[in-house]
Amino acid sequence: MSDTSRQTLPHIHDVIIIGAGPCGLAVAARLREKAPGAIFTDEEHRRHRFLHRYGRSMPLKQVRNGRVTCCGRQTPSNTQDLDIVALDATHNDWCGRWNKLFKCYNIEHLRSPMFWHVSPADRDALLGYAYSQSRENELLEIHHCVGKEVSKHMRKRTRTQKCSAHSACNARVEINERDRIDYFNPSQALFSDHCRSVASRYHLCNGVVKKESVQDIKFDAVQGVSVNDEPLFTVTTDQGPQYTRTVVLSVGPANQPSIPRHAFRAFSASAPLPQVCHSTQIETFPDPIVRTRIALGQRTNVLVIGGGLTSAQLSDLAIRKGVSKVWHLMRSPIAIKTFDVELSWMSKYRNLEQAYFYSADTDEERLQMVKAARGGGSIPPRYHKKLKEHISRGRLELRTETKLVDAQLVTTEAGSRWKVETEPAIEDMPSFDFIYFATGIETDVASLPYLRTMRETHPIDEMGGLPCLTEQLKWRDDVPLFVTGRLASLRLGAAGPNLGGARTGAERIALAIQEHFEERQNEDEASEGSAVGDRNENEWERFVLGRGSKYSCLVEH
Ligand SMILES: Cc1cc2nc3c(=O)[nH]c(=O)nc-3n(C[C@H](O)[C@H](O)[C@H](O)COP(=O)(O)OP(=O)(O)OC[C@H]3O[C@@H](n4cnc5c(N)ncnc54)[C@H](O)[C@@H]3O)c2cc1C
């Protein structure tokens, strides 16, 4: 290739992260962290840190064979130096969508505990940040989960009971007083500032996130861009194509929200529904139509549909913003849960549930475990209390096990309102100024337009709308497309769609990306005839990093 053609080659990134939410930020930060400690014990962290810092500058003696690895060897590829760019459909900053939704719903505190955050440096990074900034007053204690230890008598009874291989008694959780400090909800302001400080610490602020919506991903040699037919990803966005060696997909629930249309028979499936909105598409709350009617002193009624925390937050907020009465319909009985998932999936004893999950024989089993652990939507006790207060004041009507079956838009001189029918029928239901659906988002990888090409050219199995990834969260062994967040639930477990999965996903992906670039480097070096000694060194490093076998580094080359 001539020098002039080299100069005009398009830029090839090392990593493109699609989706700049908390999971995307966790991956980017982890790639830039030299001594990750967030999921190691203190002892492992110290050992890792020492070897990372000094392992190359001093001779290291291997215990088994006494072989001394000399210092001064060539540095293998460092993920800290990788060229990373993040593309996000809605914002040109990290966690833009997250911040927008929290602002829109006026949420003051997260639902999750202090050890769910995005920093790779330290498990207690968020807690430490709160204290270092003297903002411990922004932490809200989570009641009813610490100090509920099980009596000796109860433990004995449990032991004598017959427990199935996977049952609640196997996964009994005890959070003792020592861990009380973890069980606080951080304020949204604190969490958001912490994310900003993580981005700044790892130099991920200026220009790393670009507001571009991804429309297609292709993996193939690109004529005029690839050198030696190296397969590259062509990521096509609304701004044009970009090239990269690896891709991380962190697109959250991924699919577009959909409003169940069966109740709106008078409207065709594609017609926009006036005075109806899905919770994830709210721009201002309540809608300007409702605001105007409140301002005119009219009586207003809003219908909220859904059984999760968002529906409770919307009902509460609507009442606080002056709506006369909110009707809240739930398809199922109300579920009161402190967190989205059971404590057994998230406390420091989660290893037990995770072990059942990892050792499951099939992805179908894993899917069932995730479904069982998450259940449908649930409301934390704090919000349930708020709802009960509104009910007692007559501002809220909560109907469980009730479905919306028909809605007709009736226009009078006083404006348009929805007349609805439910099952079972509710008498004396008013017409509604607005209907909000807080019914979540159904994830289905098969219907994502930007994965159509990948699914055609590099097909993989899918289960329950989720891709069946490799253990490294890779699309396929031969395709360095990594997936984290909700789409990786079949590998990350029930906390995958939440912040709980962010660091675990980031850890696996960063190690796999490091391995990918090391392999590339080895191939390059092999072609220059200098691969033999370094191969052994890489095995050693893989072992130290906890990924390789200690026996493979003993093999004579
Ligand atoms: C109101 C609310 C409160 C919540 N509170 C908590 C909580 O307290 N604790 C907790 O653990 N979880 C909570 N959750 C769940 C929360 O969604 C996840 O924990 C978190 O957002 C997951 O991060 P993510 O990066 O996977 O997804 P997201 O935050 O959804 O980020 C995905 C990003 O991908 C981008 N994207 C999608 N498609 C494309 C595309 N084609 N091209 C480019 N970019 C794209 C989106 O714009 C978005 O910015 C809450 C969710 C909501 C809605």
Side-chain angles (χ1 to χ4, degrees):
M1 199 176 291
S2 73
D3 277 355
T4 37
S5 63
R6 237 178 237 287
Q7 279 161 15
T8 55
L9 278 183
H11 181 70
I12 304 172
H13 298 286
D14 290 324
V15 186
I16 286 187
I17 299 175
I18 302 173
C23 288
L25 175 57
V27 173
R30 174 59 187 84
L31 285 169
R32 292 265 163 94
E33 172 58 63
K34 286 192 187 123
I39 64 167
F40 296 126
T41 62
D42 285 355
E43 199 48 52
E44 287 164 342
H45 192 195
R46 254 199 302 277
R47 177 165 162 260
H48 178 90
R49 218 188 153 86
F50 174 84
L51 286 170
H52 219 281
R53 181 172 292 179
Y54 304 112
R56 278 170 236 296
S57 52
M58 64 169 61
L60 291 174
K61 188 173 178 181
Q62 295 184 29
V63 179
R64 287 287 290 224
N65 58 7
R67 184 189 300 162
V68 176
T69 316
C70 291
C71 58
R73 59 193 163 137
Q74 206 181 350
T75 312
S77 57
N78 270 327
T79 56
Q80 300 97 53
D81 304 329
L82 293 177
D83 165 2
I84 303 171
V85 72
L87 307 176
D88 194 277
T90 57
H91 292 80
N92 58 3
D93 202 0
W94 295 104
C95 303
R97 196 177 123 87
W98 166 285
N99 290 332
K100 184 184 162 194
L101 285 180
F102 269 70
K103 189 170 172 207
C104 181
Y105 303 164
N106 207 353
I107 305 174
E108 285 177 4
H109 286 83
L110 270 67
R111 186 179 190 176
S112 44
M114 296 303 290
F115 54 91
W116 278 16
H117 57 78
V118 298
S119 173
D122 181 0
R123 179 192 178 273
D124 297 324
L126 180 56
L127 194 63
Y129 182 77
Y131 280 92
S132 71
Q133 304 291 309
S134 305
R135 290 172 70 174
E136 58 272 25
N137 58 342
E138 292 182 36
L139 313 182
L140 196 65
E141 182 162 6
I142 308 169
H143 295 290
H144 310 299
C145 68
V146 183
K148 295 196 103 188
E149 292 176 57
V150 184
S151 68
K152 241 183 189 171
H153 166 72
M154 181 65 179
R155 220 175 291 169
K156 197 169 162 197
R157 218 177 66 177
T158 309
R159 262 204 307 269
T160 51
Q161 272 172 359
K162 273 192 183 162
C163 295
S164 63
H166 174 71
S167 68
C169 53
N170 276 326
R172 186 174 289 288
V173 178
E174 297 172 26
I175 312 283
N176 63 30
E177 288 299 327
R178 216 173 305 153
D179 297 317
R180 183 175 287 279
I181 193 134
D182 280 337
Y183 290 89
F184 284 79
N185 297 129
S187 73
Q188 153 62 3
L190 180 75
F191 180 79
S192 174
D193 287 348
H194 181 241
C195 287
R196 226 166 279 136
S197 88
V198 169
S200 148
R201 173 179 174 163
Y202 295 105
H203 310 292
L204 294 166
C205 289
N206 296 333
V208 173
V209 184
K210 296 184 180 2
K211 188 176 165 202
E212 294 187 31
S213 176
V214 171
Q215 294 165 346
D216 188 43
I217 306 171
K218 217 178 270 171
F219 184 59
D220 207 351
V222 187
Q223 207 184 3
V225 182
S226 296
V227 177
N228 295 334
D229 281 342
E230 177 193 15
L232 294 172
F233 287 99
T234 308
V235 176
T236 308
T237 73
D238 49 356
Q239 309 288 315
Q242 303 216 28
Y243 304 99
T244 179
R245 297 196 167 89
T246 60
V247 169
V248 178
L249 201 59
S250 56
V251 285
N255 291 75
Q256 289 300 316
S258 72
I259 288 172
R261 303 289 294 219
H262 61 269
F264 301 92
R265 281 183 211 102
F267 291 80
S268 72
S270 55
L273 295 172
Q275 292 162 245
V276 173
C277 187
H278 191 277
S279 58
T280 55
Q281 292 171 327
I282 296 172
E283 288 298 328
T284 50
F285 189 86
D287 191 84
I289 289 183
V290 183
R291 280 175 189 233
T292 312
R293 291 177 187 177
I294 294 172
L296 290 172
Q298 294 177 6
R299 188 174 169 76
T300 46
N301 292 292
V302 161
L303 179 64
V304 175
I305 299 173
L309 172 56
T310 305
S311 67
Q313 283 162 335
L314 291 185
S315 291
D316 171 56
L317 187 59
I319 292 166
R320 286 195 284 125
K321 293 260 179 171
V323 171
S324 316
K325 186 152 182 168
V326 173
W327 289 69
H328 189 153
L329 302 188
M330 288 181 192
R331 203 173 42 172
S332 318
I334 189 165
I336 315 292
K337 262 173 35 180
T338 306
F339 306 109
D340 278 332
V341 290
E342 296 297 339
L343 257 185
S344 51
W345 280 90
M346 54 189 296
S347 66
K348 70 178 184 184
Y349 303 98
R350 71 179 186 281
N351 293 352
L352 193 59
E353 279 299 344
Q354 292 284 18
Y356 291 133
F357 180 76
Y358 294 142
S359 57
D361 292 331
T362 61
D363 280 333
E364 198 170 349
E365 245 179 273
R366 282 189 199 99
L367 181 67
Q368 293 316 321
M369 289 165 88
V370 169
K371 280 188 179 167
R374 294 192 72 84
S378 62
I379 296 176
R382 186 155 43 95
Y383 266 93
H384 186 223
K385 195 173 159 201
K386 286 187 190 190
L387 294 188
K388 284 197 292 191
E389 283 166 11
H390 291 313
I391 293 169
S392 66
R393 285 198 211 104
R395 302 285 303 277
L396 175 70
E397 198 74 40
L398 175 66
R399 297 298 171 105
T400 58
E401 296 174 85
T402 305
K403 281 187 216 155
L404 175 73
V405 288
D406 191 50
Q408 306 284 342
L409 192 65
V410 179
T411 307
T412 62
E413 276 178 8
S416 301
R417 286 184 175 78
W418 287 101
K419 195 167 161 29
V420 307
E421 277 176 34
T422 61
E423 197 182 280
I426 301 172
E427 277 179 23
D428 303 329
M429 215 179 185
S431 295
F432 291 102
D433 299 273
F434 214 92
I435 305 179
Y436 287 101
F437 283 88
T439 43
I441 296 177
E442 199 72 36
T443 296
D444 180 16
V445 69
S447 61
L448 291 176
Y450 49 89
L451 283 182
R452 199 171 297 140
T453 309
M454 284 307 297
R455 290 178 64 252
E456 275 168 20
T457 56
H458 299 82
I460 58 169
D461 288 341
E462 292 158 9
M463 176 70 57
L466 300 168
C468 300
L469 306 166
T470 71
E471 289 305 320
Q472 291 183 313
L473 307 187
K474 220 174 182 184
W475 187 259
R476 252 171 45 174
D477 279 330
D478 58 337
V479 182
L481 164 64
F482 299 90
V483 183
T484 182
R486 191 189 296 188
L487 279 174
S489 295
L490 289 179
R491 294 293 167 270
L492 291 175
N498 290 86
L499 296 175
R503 275 185 292 135
T504 323
E507 187 62 31
R508 285 206 216 171
I509 291 174
L511 291 174
I513 288 181
Q514 182 174 358
E515 200 173 275
H516 174 82
F517 283 103
E518 277 172 8
E519 274 165 16
R520 273 194 78 233
Q521 191 179 334
N522 283 348
E523 279 164 22
D524 290 350
E525 284 170 359
S527 65
E528 287 162 20
S530 62
V532 178
D534 286 348
R535 224 183 107 73
N536 201 22
E537 287 173 3
N538 282 331
E539 288 301 343
W540 163 240
E541 182 150 298
R542 276 166 50 74
F543 161 53
V544 167
L545 290 171
R547 286 179 287 123
S549 148
K550 70 175 174 182
Y551 299 107
S552 32
C553 54
L554 302 178
V555 174
E556 297 284 353
H557 291 282

